[in-house]
């Protein structure tokens, strides 16, 4: 199927889902909409702003002022194009990921050629051919366009669609060597959802590798451009809100403090519902350190030569451990996995993870109905499903990392196993 046909079919499916009678049900599902990205809360914030009421005075609106201004303009001028706009945004995300993966495939080819002489003779057959490298971008595009998580995320008209677009644009800018573009888009994504700030590390490494300059100078320049862009966005947002920085508490503060405990597919809501209040600050800090700080240093030290893998893993971890996750975040990082198709043969948990994704995706809505509407289940049932879903994602990420390490070892040491010059044998006693 050609690129145009894929985009047309995916676009028609999204546009049709937005106009069906069940759209309201899709848009309000807890797996799709959260207090941060909900379309319902967005239009409420726009309504308050249109009536000269500060939407950040209450506890219903948590988007950035830039998003508020943008959607206020669109709803006032051309509200009828909103379904088409979300569809175009999502298709653009897929195309940017396609372009990005093509650049990454070229980088894989170049790095493979550099180390070709160091690869063991037994492992020469494992080298990636041009045909295999060219297949990856097609798979990336297909997975994003037809992944049910991504499709439902767009159909629910959540602002995660825009966040995914900004992250994809930043990855494309970094893979093309455009420092200002990459930093500007990742600053916009960070300004909206905070957690994309993690991606500045792989982006800085990627830009240093592509530009082939002084690494330290390149890192500093990238970080400086990012900080300036983010600082400008914070200042401009305050300017929109008549010079007030009160919006910071209802955006960044809301993400970090987790005051709204409406159930979602994440891990925060249940823990803080059951927790004694005097322990809350301790565990909020522990959970946010886990989501924002804990993995960045060890993963960077181990995979600094693979910034693409580092970016993929950091996006996945932030999707798992953020305070208000949704299926749109999951669908985005799943679409990046085909770039690592050559690692799938080294992965041992593929079947288990695949089954867990299917089962939990089916059980989630079922258990939610039993809990909320039938009254024959309780919060423990739904949290058990979300915990299993998060566990499956963790297995997926760790399996991917171990697969990379195993392939790296095999390329260097060969695929044959011998002990004292004789073939190795596994004996069960």
């Amino acid at each position: 199927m050609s690129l145009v046909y894929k985009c047309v079919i995916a676009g028609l499916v999204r546009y049709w889902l937005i106009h069906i009678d069940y759209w309201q049900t899709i848009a309000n599902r807890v797996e799709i909409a959260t207090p941060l990205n909900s379309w319902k809360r967005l239009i409420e914030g726009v309504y308050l702003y249109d009536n000269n009421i500060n939407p950040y005075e209450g506890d219903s609106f948590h988007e950035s002022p830039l998003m508020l201004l943008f959607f206020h303009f669109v709803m006032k001028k051309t509200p009828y194009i909103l379904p088409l706009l979300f569809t175009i945004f999502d298709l653009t995300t897929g195309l940017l990921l396609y372009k990005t993966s093509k650049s990454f495939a070229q980088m894989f080819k170049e790095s493979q050629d550099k180390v070709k002489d160091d690869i063991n003779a037994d492992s020469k057959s494992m080298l990636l051919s041009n045909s295999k490298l060219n297949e990856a971008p097609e798979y990336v595009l297909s997975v994003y366009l037809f992944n049910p998580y991504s499709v439902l995320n767009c159909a629910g008209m959540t602002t995660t669609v825009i966040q995914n677009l900004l992250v994809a644009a930043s990855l494309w800018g970094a893979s093309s060597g455009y420092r200002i573009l990459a930093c500007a888009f990742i600053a916009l994504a960070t300004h909206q959802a905070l957690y994309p700030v993690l991606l500045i590390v792989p982006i800085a490494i990627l830009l240093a590798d592509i530009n082939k300059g002084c690494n330290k100078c390149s890192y500093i320049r990238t970080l400086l451009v990012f900080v300036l862009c983010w600082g400008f966005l914070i200042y401009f947002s305050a300017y929109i809100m008549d010079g007030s920085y009160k919006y910071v508490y209802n955006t960044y503060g809301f993400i970090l403090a987790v005051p709204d405990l409406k159930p979602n597919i994440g891990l925060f809501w249940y823990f803080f519902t059951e927790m004694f209040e005097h322990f809350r600050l301790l565990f909020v800090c522990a959970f946010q350190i886990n989501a924002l700080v804990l993995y960045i240093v060890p993963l960077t030290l181990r995979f600094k030569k693979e910034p693409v893998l580092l970016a993929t893993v950091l996006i996945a971890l932030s999707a798992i451990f953020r305070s208000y996750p949704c299926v749109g975040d999951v669908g985005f990082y799943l679409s990046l996995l085909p770039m690592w198709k050559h690692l799938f043969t080294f992965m041992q948990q593929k079947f288990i993870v695949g089954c867990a994704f299917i089962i939990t995706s089916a059980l989630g809505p079922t258990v939610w109905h039993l809990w909320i509407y039938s009254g024959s289940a309780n919060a423990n049932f739904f949290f058990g499903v979300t915990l299993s879903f998060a566990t499956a994602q963790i297995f997926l990420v760790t399996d991917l990392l171990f697969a990379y390490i195993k392939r790296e070892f095999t390329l260097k040491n060969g695929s044959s196993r011998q002990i004292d010059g004789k073939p190795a044998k596994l004996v069960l006693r």
Side-chain angles (χ1 to χ4, degrees), residues 371-426:
W371 174 26
I372 299 299
Y373 298 103
S374 298
S376 55
N378 56 41
N380 295 324
F381 287 71
F382 186 72
F383 179 68
V385 174
T386 60
L387 185 61
S388 300
F389 187 60
T391 304
Q393 295 179 77
I394 294 168
F395 279 3
L396 177 61
V397 173
T398 54
D399 203 18
L400 181 69
L401 293 176
F402 279 123
Y404 173 82
I405 294 171
K406 283 187 279 188
R407 182 176 183 273
E408 187 181 50
F409 178 85
T410 304
L411 286 173
K412 184 177 179 180
N413 297 281
S415 54
S416 63
R417 297 289 178 266
Q418 292 187 342
I419 299 176
D420 297 331
K422 298 178 181 179
K425 219 171 30 170
L426 180 63

Side-chain angles (χ1 to χ4, degrees), residues 5 12 28 43 73 78 86 97 114 125 130 146 162-165 172 197 231 233 245 262 281 339 353 374 416-417:
Y5 287 156
L12 288 175
N28 292 328
I43 58 176
F73 175 80
T78 53
F86 273 92
L97 290 176
K114 288 179 183 177
S125 60
N130 289 332
F146 300 107
I162 298 177
Q163 181 193 325
N164 289 344
L165 174 63
W172 171 75
V197 69
L233 292 173
Y245 286 90
K262 180 181 178 181
L281 180 60
M339 288 191 296
V353 169
S374 298
S416 63
R417 297 289 178 266

Side-chain angles (χ1 to χ4, degrees), residues 46 105 123 167 205 225 236 251 274 278 319 328 356 366 376:
V46 170
S123 303
V167 174
I205 298 173
V225 173
F236 185 66
T251 51
E274 300 293 326
H278 55 277
T366 305
S376 55

